[in-house]
Amino acid sequence: MYALAIHGGAGALPREPFTRAREDAYRHGLMQALTAGQRLLEDNGCALDAVQAAVTVLEDEPLFNAGRGAVLSALGTVELDAAIMDGCDLRAGAVAGIRHLRNPVQLARRILEDSAHVFLIGDGAERFAAETGFALVENDSLITPERRQQFQALDGQADKLVALDQPPLGTVGAVARDHAGRLAAATSTGGTGGKRPGRVGDSPVIGAGTYADNQTCAVSATGHGEWFLRTVQAYDIAARLRYGGASLAQAVNDAVARRLTSLGADGGLIAVDALGHIVIGYNTPLMFRASVRAGESAHAEIY
C-alpha cells in the first residue's frame, strides 16, 4: 500500500484575497506534483524516486518558493536549499546556498547516491554538480517578475523581511511510503524573502526540516525555519514514535499544536508512518497541501 503527501508552504491569509483563478492555479500545481509521484508509486516505484519527482515539479512551478520563483535575498539573488532522505538506510543528501541550479532536490539526490558526504553548500555544491553532469544556469533565470517586484518593494531594507502571507508561500516538500514499505522525504526552498545572504533554514537540515526512517516515519516541514531548527522538528516527530510510543497523529499534534505554538513558531509539516498513515499538521490559517493513498482519491487543499 502506497501513500504520498506534498506541501507548498504554510502561512497567514494573503493580504490580497486569492482570486478563484489563483486558487485553481495553486491546486493545479499541487495536483501535478502529486500525480508525478503517484505514477511512480503505482508502478511499484520506490518512495525516494516519488518524493524527488513530486518536489521537482514544485521547483519548476513558479507559484511556489523553490527553484524558479523562489524569493530573493537582500542582495536580490536566489539562494536555494534542499534535502532528500531515504528511510531504508538513513542515507541523505542536502545542499544550501545554490545559485545556479534549477532543481536543487536533484543535486541533493546525487549527493545521497554518489558522494561520501551528506551536505554540500554554495560553490562547493555547484562544483560537484558540474562535475557530475548538471547544467548550471544564470541566477537571473530563476527570478520571476513577481519576485523581482516583491524585492523592489523592500526598498533596500535588508531586515524588512517579506512575510509568509505574500504569495507564493513557503517551502515545498513531499513524503512517501511505497508498496514495499520504504519511506522517504524531500524538501526544497528559497528560504525567507529579504534574507541575509548565506542564511540557511531548516529545510536542508536533516532532522530539522527533513527526515525519514522506515521504522518510524517520514517528515517534511515548512514555516518559521529558525524554530524548526531549534526544535529539530522533523526528527522530534520520529523520536516521539520510536521512544515515546506515540501514534503519528499524536506526535504531530503535540509538536505543532502545542510545542511550536507555545514557542510562537508558525508553520506546519506533512508526515507518513510505516503503516501508510498520513498526518498533516499546521498552526497557520492556510497550508498548500495534497495527498493520496492506494485505492483512495487524491485531493488538494489550501485552507
mmCIF file of all heavy atoms in Angstrom, residues 26-59:
data_model
loop_
_atom_site.group_PDB
_atom_site.id
_atom_site.type_symbol
_atom_site.label_atom_id
_atom_site.label_comp_id
_atom_site.label_asym_id
_atom_site.label_seq_id
_atom_site.Cartn_x
_atom_site.Cartn_y
_atom_site.Cartn_z
ATOM 1 N N TYR A 26 -2.895 27.220 -7.958
ATOM 2 C CA TYR A 26 -2.178 26.533 -6.885
ATOM 3 C C TYR A 26 -2.602 25.075 -6.794
ATOM 4 O O TYR A 26 -1.754 24.167 -6.663
ATOM 5 C CB TYR A 26 -2.438 27.225 -5.544
ATOM 6 C CG TYR A 26 -1.535 28.405 -5.273
ATOM 7 C CD1 TYR A 26 -2.020 29.706 -5.271
ATOM 8 C CD2 TYR A 26 -0.183 28.205 -4.994
ATOM 9 C CE1 TYR A 26 -1.196 30.781 -5.011
ATOM 10 C CE2 TYR A 26 0.652 29.280 -4.730
ATOM 11 C CZ TYR A 26 0.138 30.565 -4.740
ATOM 12 O OH TYR A 26 0.968 31.630 -4.489
ATOM 13 N N ARG A 27 -3.895 24.834 -6.843
ATOM 14 C CA ARG A 27 -4.383 23.452 -6.762
ATOM 15 C C ARG A 27 -3.870 22.619 -7.935
ATOM 16 O O ARG A 27 -3.490 21.453 -7.769
ATOM 17 C CB ARG A 27 -5.912 23.430 -6.725
ATOM 18 C CG ARG A 27 -6.505 24.025 -5.451
ATOM 19 C CD ARG A 27 -8.027 23.973 -5.485
ATOM 20 N NE ARG A 27 -8.607 24.778 -4.427
ATOM 21 C CZ ARG A 27 -8.798 24.365 -3.179
ATOM 22 N NH1 ARG A 27 -8.441 23.125 -2.853
ATOM 23 N NH2 ARG A 27 -9.335 25.156 -2.274
ATOM 24 N N HIS A 28 -3.852 23.234 -9.120
ATOM 25 C CA HIS A 28 -3.342 22.524 -10.291
ATOM 26 C C HIS A 28 -1.864 22.170 -10.104
ATOM 27 O O HIS A 28 -1.445 21.047 -10.411
ATOM 28 C CB HIS A 28 -3.521 23.393 -11.536
ATOM 29 C CG HIS A 28 -2.976 22.769 -12.782
ATOM 30 N ND1 HIS A 28 -3.579 21.713 -13.426
ATOM 31 C CD2 HIS A 28 -1.849 23.056 -13.522
ATOM 32 C CE1 HIS A 28 -2.875 21.371 -14.487
ATOM 33 N NE2 HIS A 28 -1.820 22.167 -14.563
ATOM 34 N N GLY A 29 -1.082 23.120 -9.609
ATOM 35 C CA GLY A 29 0.325 22.850 -9.369
ATOM 36 C C GLY A 29 0.542 21.728 -8.372
ATOM 37 O O GLY A 29 1.403 20.856 -8.566
ATOM 38 N N LEU A 30 -0.232 21.745 -7.301
ATOM 39 C CA LEU A 30 -0.134 20.683 -6.304
ATOM 40 C C LEU A 30 -0.500 19.322 -6.902
ATOM 41 O O LEU A 30 0.196 18.323 -6.667
ATOM 42 C CB LEU A 30 -1.056 20.985 -5.117
ATOM 43 C CG LEU A 30 -0.641 22.141 -4.210
ATOM 44 C CD1 LEU A 30 -1.779 22.505 -3.264
ATOM 45 C CD2 LEU A 30 0.620 21.787 -3.409
ATOM 46 N N MET A 31 -1.572 19.286 -7.671
ATOM 47 C CA MET A 31 -2.009 18.016 -8.243
ATOM 48 C C MET A 31 -1.030 17.505 -9.289
ATOM 49 O O MET A 31 -0.838 16.284 -9.423
ATOM 50 C CB MET A 31 -3.402 18.163 -8.834
ATOM 51 C CG MET A 31 -4.503 18.355 -7.785
ATOM 52 S SD MET A 31 -4.537 17.021 -6.535
ATOM 53 C CE MET A 31 -4.978 15.622 -7.562
ATOM 54 N N GLN A 32 -0.402 18.405 -10.030
ATOM 55 C CA GLN A 32 0.612 17.990 -10.991
ATOM 56 C C GLN A 32 1.773 17.303 -10.273
ATOM 57 O O GLN A 32 2.279 16.270 -10.731
ATOM 58 C CB GLN A 32 1.130 19.201 -11.778
ATOM 59 C CG GLN A 32 0.151 19.766 -12.776
ATOM 60 C CD GLN A 32 -0.024 18.897 -14.001
ATOM 61 O OE1 GLN A 32 -0.993 18.142 -14.113
ATOM 62 N NE2 GLN A 32 0.906 18.991 -14.922
ATOM 63 N N ALA A 33 2.197 17.885 -9.162
ATOM 64 C CA ALA A 33 3.293 17.307 -8.395
ATOM 65 C C ALA A 33 2.885 15.977 -7.775
ATOM 66 O O ALA A 33 3.649 14.999 -7.785
ATOM 67 C CB ALA A 33 3.740 18.281 -7.313
ATOM 68 N N LEU A 34 1.678 15.936 -7.224
ATOM 69 C CA LEU A 34 1.196 14.700 -6.608
ATOM 70 C C LEU A 34 1.116 13.587 -7.645
ATOM 71 O O LEU A 34 1.527 12.442 -7.384
ATOM 72 C CB LEU A 34 -0.173 14.942 -5.975
ATOM 73 C CG LEU A 34 -0.683 13.842 -5.044
ATOM 74 C CD1 LEU A 34 0.096 13.863 -3.735
ATOM 75 C CD2 LEU A 34 -2.181 14.007 -4.770
ATOM 76 N N THR A 35 0.610 13.913 -8.815
ATOM 77 C CA THR A 35 0.478 12.914 -9.874
ATOM 78 C C THR A 35 1.831 12.370 -10.307
ATOM 79 O O THR A 35 1.976 11.166 -10.580
ATOM 80 C CB THR A 35 -0.256 13.516 -11.085
ATOM 81 O OG1 THR A 35 -1.570 13.923 -10.688
ATOM 82 C CG2 THR A 35 -0.373 12.502 -12.217
ATOM 83 N N ALA A 36 2.838 13.237 -10.358
ATOM 84 C CA ALA A 36 4.174 12.798 -10.761
ATOM 85 C C ALA A 36 4.713 11.740 -9.801
ATOM 86 O O ALA A 36 5.314 10.737 -10.230
ATOM 87 C CB ALA A 36 5.125 13.987 -10.818
ATOM 88 N N GLY A 37 4.499 11.951 -8.507
ATOM 89 C CA GLY A 37 4.945 10.961 -7.544
ATOM 90 C C GLY A 37 4.052 9.738 -7.514
ATOM 91 O O GLY A 37 4.531 8.597 -7.377
ATOM 92 N N GLN A 38 2.753 9.936 -7.645
ATOM 93 C CA GLN A 38 1.803 8.831 -7.583
ATOM 94 C C GLN A 38 2.022 7.834 -8.711
ATOM 95 O O GLN A 38 1.931 6.613 -8.501
ATOM 96 C CB GLN A 38 0.376 9.375 -7.632
ATOM 97 C CG GLN A 38 -0.696 8.292 -7.486
ATOM 98 C CD GLN A 38 -2.096 8.867 -7.606
ATOM 99 O OE1 GLN A 38 -2.284 10.043 -7.929
ATOM 100 N NE2 GLN A 38 -3.095 8.035 -7.339
ATOM 101 N N ARG A 39 2.311 8.330 -9.906
ATOM 102 C CA ARG A 39 2.538 7.430 -11.040
ATOM 103 C C ARG A 39 3.652 6.431 -10.738
ATOM 104 O O ARG A 39 3.551 5.235 -11.054
ATOM 105 C CB ARG A 39 2.895 8.243 -12.287
ATOM 106 C CG ARG A 39 1.743 8.990 -12.921
ATOM 107 C CD ARG A 39 2.126 9.434 -14.320
ATOM 108 N NE ARG A 39 1.093 10.274 -14.925
ATOM 109 C CZ ARG A 39 1.234 11.548 -15.211
ATOM 110 N NH1 ARG A 39 2.391 12.151 -14.963
ATOM 111 N NH2 ARG A 39 0.255 12.232 -15.768
ATOM 112 N N LEU A 40 4.716 6.918 -10.138
ATOM 113 C CA LEU A 40 5.840 6.045 -9.812
ATOM 114 C C LEU A 40 5.446 5.011 -8.769
ATOM 115 O O LEU A 40 5.802 3.836 -8.864
ATOM 116 C CB LEU A 40 7.016 6.876 -9.312
ATOM 117 C CG LEU A 40 7.666 7.800 -10.350
ATOM 118 C CD1 LEU A 40 8.670 8.718 -9.687
ATOM 119 C CD2 LEU A 40 8.324 6.983 -11.446
ATOM 120 N N LEU A 41 4.710 5.450 -7.755
ATOM 121 C CA LEU A 41 4.295 4.528 -6.692
ATOM 122 C C LEU A 41 3.337 3.473 -7.218
ATOM 123 O O LEU A 41 3.395 2.302 -6.815
ATOM 124 C CB LEU A 41 3.664 5.317 -5.546
ATOM 125 C CG LEU A 41 4.611 6.269 -4.810
ATOM 126 C CD1 LEU A 41 3.830 7.110 -3.799
ATOM 127 C CD2 LEU A 41 5.724 5.494 -4.104
ATOM 128 N N GLU A 42 2.445 3.860 -8.112
ATOM 129 C CA GLU A 42 1.508 2.904 -8.691
ATOM 130 C C GLU A 42 2.216 1.853 -9.540
ATOM 131 O O GLU A 42 1.743 0.722 -9.671
ATOM 132 C CB GLU A 42 0.463 3.630 -9.531
ATOM 133 C CG GLU A 42 -0.563 4.396 -8.706
ATOM 134 C CD GLU A 42 -1.612 5.068 -9.567
ATOM 135 O OE1 GLU A 42 -1.334 5.298 -10.774
ATOM 136 O OE2 GLU A 42 -2.690 5.378 -9.036
ATOM 137 N N ASP A 43 3.362 2.228 -10.105
ATOM 138 C CA ASP A 43 4.146 1.300 -10.919
ATOM 139 C C ASP A 43 5.195 0.568 -10.092
ATOM 140 O O ASP A 43 6.199 0.095 -10.635
ATOM 141 C CB ASP A 43 4.826 2.054 -12.057
ATOM 142 C CG ASP A 43 3.849 2.545 -13.105
ATOM 143 O OD1 ASP A 43 2.731 1.986 -13.180
ATOM 144 O OD2 ASP A 43 4.184 3.505 -13.830
ATOM 145 N N ASN A 44 4.953 0.496 -8.785
ATOM 146 C CA ASN A 44 5.862 -0.174 -7.847
ATOM 147 C C ASN A 44 7.223 0.498 -7.765
ATOM 148 O O ASN A 44 8.234 -0.148 -7.437
ATOM 149 C CB ASN A 44 6.031 -1.659 -8.216
ATOM 150 C CG ASN A 44 4.767 -2.453 -7.981
ATOM 151 O OD1 ASN A 44 4.121 -2.323 -6.943
ATOM 152 N ND2 ASN A 44 4.397 -3.272 -8.952
ATOM 153 N N GLY A 45 7.252 1.790 -8.059
ATOM 154 C CA GLY A 45 8.482 2.546 -7.885
ATOM 155 C C GLY A 45 8.783 2.774 -6.419
ATOM 156 O O GLY A 45 7.947 2.522 -5.539
ATOM 157 N N CYS A 46 9.992 3.269 -6.141
ATOM 158 C CA CYS A 46 10.402 3.455 -4.746
ATOM 159 C C CYS A 46 10.005 4.835 -4.238
ATOM 160 O O CYS A 46 9.840 5.790 -5.010
ATOM 161 C CB CYS A 46 11.895 3.231 -4.585
ATOM 162 S SG CYS A 46 12.941 4.499 -5.320
ATOM 163 N N ALA A 47 9.857 4.926 -2.933
ATOM 164 C CA ALA A 47 9.446 6.174 -2.289
ATOM 165 C C ALA A 47 10.428 7.296 -2.575
ATOM 166 O O ALA A 47 10.025 8.457 -2.752
ATOM 167 C CB ALA A 47 9.311 5.963 -0.781
ATOM 168 N N LEU A 48 11.722 6.976 -2.652
ATOM 169 C CA LEU A 48 12.737 8.001 -2.879
ATOM 170 C C LEU A 48 12.537 8.659 -4.247
ATOM 171 O O LEU A 48 12.618 9.890 -4.381
ATOM 172 C CB LEU A 48 14.131 7.389 -2.774
ATOM 173 C CG LEU A 48 15.299 8.355 -2.619
ATOM 174 C CD1 LEU A 48 15.202 9.130 -1.311
ATOM 175 C CD2 LEU A 48 16.623 7.603 -2.692
ATOM 176 N N ASP A 49 12.261 7.852 -5.267
ATOM 177 C CA ASP A 49 12.004 8.406 -6.592
ATOM 178 C C ASP A 49 10.731 9.256 -6.596
ATOM 179 O O ASP A 49 10.656 10.288 -7.267
ATOM 180 C CB ASP A 49 11.855 7.294 -7.623
ATOM 181 C CG ASP A 49 13.177 6.627 -7.965
ATOM 182 O OD1 ASP A 49 14.240 7.227 -7.696
ATOM 183 O OD2 ASP A 49 13.150 5.505 -8.498
ATOM 184 N N ALA A 50 9.728 8.814 -5.847
ATOM 185 C CA ALA A 50 8.440 9.517 -5.831
ATOM 186 C C ALA A 50 8.561 10.903 -5.216
ATOM 187 O O ALA A 50 8.016 11.877 -5.754
ATOM 188 C CB ALA A 50 7.402 8.693 -5.070
ATOM 189 N N VAL A 51 9.271 11.019 -4.088
ATOM 190 C CA VAL A 51 9.377 12.345 -3.463
ATOM 191 C C VAL A 51 10.244 13.273 -4.300
ATOM 192 O O VAL A 51 9.977 14.474 -4.400
ATOM 193 C CB VAL A 51 9.901 12.263 -2.012
ATOM 194 C CG1 VAL A 51 8.917 11.491 -1.131
ATOM 195 C CG2 VAL A 51 11.295 11.656 -1.925
ATOM 196 N N GLN A 52 11.265 12.725 -4.940
ATOM 197 C CA GLN A 52 12.084 13.568 -5.818
ATOM 198 C C GLN A 52 11.257 14.072 -6.997
ATOM 199 O O GLN A 52 11.338 15.254 -7.365
ATOM 200 C CB GLN A 52 13.292 12.790 -6.343
ATOM 201 C CG GLN A 52 14.151 13.611 -7.299
ATOM 202 C CD GLN A 52 15.327 12.841 -7.856
ATOM 203 O OE1 GLN A 52 15.892 11.995 -7.194
ATOM 204 N NE2 GLN A 52 15.683 13.117 -9.101
ATOM 205 N N ALA A 53 10.470 13.198 -7.603
ATOM 206 C CA ALA A 53 9.653 13.601 -8.749
ATOM 207 C C ALA A 53 8.652 14.679 -8.365
ATOM 208 O O ALA A 53 8.472 15.666 -9.092
ATOM 209 C CB ALA A 53 8.929 12.382 -9.318
ATOM 210 N N ALA A 54 7.993 14.510 -7.222
ATOM 211 C CA ALA A 54 6.998 15.488 -6.791
ATOM 212 C C ALA A 54 7.634 16.842 -6.507
ATOM 213 O O ALA A 54 7.116 17.888 -6.925
ATOM 214 C CB ALA A 54 6.276 14.976 -5.549
ATOM 215 N N VAL A 55 8.748 16.848 -5.818
ATOM 216 C CA VAL A 55 9.407 18.110 -5.464
ATOM 217 C C VAL A 55 9.982 18.787 -6.702
ATOM 218 O O VAL A 55 9.960 20.021 -6.815
ATOM 219 C CB VAL A 55 10.479 17.880 -4.387
ATOM 220 C CG1 VAL A 55 11.349 19.120 -4.205
ATOM 221 C CG2 VAL A 55 9.819 17.516 -3.060
ATOM 222 N N THR A 56 10.478 18.018 -7.649
ATOM 223 C CA THR A 56 10.980 18.607 -8.884
ATOM 224 C C THR A 56 9.888 19.384 -9.604
ATOM 225 O O THR A 56 10.121 20.501 -10.108
ATOM 226 C CB THR A 56 11.546 17.509 -9.807
ATOM 227 O OG1 THR A 56 12.695 16.910 -9.195
ATOM 228 C CG2 THR A 56 11.963 18.096 -11.158
ATOM 229 N N VAL A 57 8.681 18.834 -9.660
ATOM 230 C CA VAL A 57 7.565 19.540 -10.286
ATOM 231 C C VAL A 57 7.277 20.842 -9.552
ATOM 232 O O VAL A 57 7.043 21.894 -10.169
ATOM 233 C CB VAL A 57 6.306 18.655 -10.324
ATOM 234 C CG1 VAL A 57 5.084 19.466 -10.786
ATOM 235 C CG2 VAL A 57 6.518 17.462 -11.250
ATOM 236 N N LEU A 58 7.310 20.813 -8.226
ATOM 237 C CA LEU A 58 7.042 22.016 -7.439
ATOM 238 C C LEU A 58 8.157 23.047 -7.612
ATOM 239 O O LEU A 58 7.899 24.255 -7.606
ATOM 240 C CB LEU A 58 6.872 21.649 -5.967
ATOM 241 C CG LEU A 58 5.614 20.843 -5.647
ATOM 242 C CD1 LEU A 58 5.675 20.306 -4.218
ATOM 243 C CD2 LEU A 58 4.356 21.676 -5.847
ATOM 244 N N GLU A 59 9.403 22.591 -7.764
ATOM 245 C CA GLU A 59 10.501 23.525 -8.033
ATOM 246 C C GLU A 59 10.326 24.212 -9.387
ATOM 247 O O GLU A 59 10.736 25.367 -9.553
ATOM 248 C CB GLU A 59 11.838 22.782 -8.007
ATOM 249 C CG GLU A 59 12.300 22.358 -6.622
ATOM 250 C CD GLU A 59 13.587 21.563 -6.658
ATOM 251 O OE1 GLU A 59 13.897 20.953 -7.711
ATOM 252 O OE2 GLU A 59 14.289 21.527 -5.632
#
